Amino acid sequence: MFIECLDRIKNEIEHPVDNHTAEIVASHIQVLLDYLSRFYERQFITRRKVNSDVLTKFEKALKEYYADSNGKDGVPTVNYFAEIVNLTPGYFGDLVKKETGKTAQELISLRIIEFAKQQLTATDDDISIVAYDLGFQYPQHFSRMFKRVTGISPTQFRKQISIGYN
């Protein structure tokens, strides 16, 4: 199909140019792009088992990240996990989104916040210490992410937890 589309484009370009040439070439290019999109998206459907294995590796690496490094290597990135599962970041991101409905970055953020909640609950460490422990260079970046994901600041979360325990 791909070769046929290219042949049609080539044949059209080799003929004398008329009022319809540009429109016909553009139409053939559009059909070619539609086929490429179909083939790209189809692999997410036909490779369910492989995709499931990739997601399992990703989830395991995500859980182990802070257990192993405790944030010493910074905040984990999509590129970091894509490398672990031997995929390009773009393809990895597309696969995660197709399989989970969330982006890889959203899943990473959720895990970071889950770990942050554990630390905020288990320690009396200052919010900036928790942020640095999680690999953030700037505590305000941590606070911003925490609030974006949970709807409340780390300080408010801690207050809610202490009220719940009293």
Side-chain angles (χ1 to χ4, degrees), residues 10-22 24-25:
K10 182 180 176 214
N11 288 338
E12 190 59 40
I13 291 172
E14 288 176 349
H15 287 351
V17 175
D18 59 29
N19 293 340
H20 302 285
T21 301
I24 291 171
V25 169

Side-chain angles (χ1 to χ4, degrees), residues 34-160:
D34 289 343
Y35 276 124
L36 292 174
S37 291
R38 173 196 268 175
F39 298 146
Y40 184 75
E41 291 174 16
R42 187 183 290 166
Q43 68 188 331
F44 294 115
I45 297 167
T46 60
R47 298 174 43 121
R48 288 269 183 230
K49 172 69 173 120
V50 172
N51 295 350
S52 176
D53 291 347
V54 168
L55 283 178
T56 301
K57 278 175 121 174
F58 170 50
E59 289 168 3
K60 181 179 179 201
L62 195 50
K63 288 177 183 173
E64 292 174 348
Y65 184 83
Y66 285 110
D68 293 343
S69 74
N70 200 23
K72 291 180 190 87
D73 298 327
V75 177
T77 64
V78 173
N79 290 352
Y80 171 81
F81 293 109
E83 193 174 303
I84 286 175
V85 297
N86 297 314
L87 296 174
T88 64
Y91 184 82
F92 174 68
D94 288 349
L95 184 150
V96 170
K97 178 74 172 173
K98 288 275 186 194
E99 294 294 319
T100 68
K102 294 187 184 302
T103 66
Q105 187 58 57
E106 288 172 321
L107 292 175
I108 292 167
S109 295
L110 289 171
R111 179 64 183 131
I112 290 170
I113 297 309
E114 184 181 309
F115 196 80
K117 285 179 176 180
Q118 291 171 1
Q119 281 196 301
L120 291 168
T121 303
T123 70
D124 289 331
D125 291 344
D126 188 71
I127 303 298
S128 60
I129 300 298
V130 173
Y132 293 131
D133 284 350
L134 293 170
F136 287 87
Q137 286 186 316
Y138 305 103
Q140 56 271 35
H141 291 170
F142 164 68
S143 294
R144 204 172 308 132
M145 176 193 282
F146 194 96
K147 187 164 187 165
R148 181 176 37 84
V149 172
T150 66
I152 60 174
S153 71
T155 305
Q156 291 169 317
F157 174 79
R158 221 181 221 160
K159 285 179 184 174
Q160 285 182 353

Side-chain angles (χ1 to χ4, degrees), residues 1-15 24-25 28-29 32:
M1 289 182 184
F2 180 77
I3 299 298
E4 287 174 18
C5 286
L6 291 177
D7 286 343
R8 286 188 188 121
I9 293 168
K10 182 180 176 214
N11 288 338
E12 190 59 40
I13 291 172
E14 288 176 349
H15 287 351
I24 291 171
V25 169
H28 287 310
I29 291 171
L32 175 65

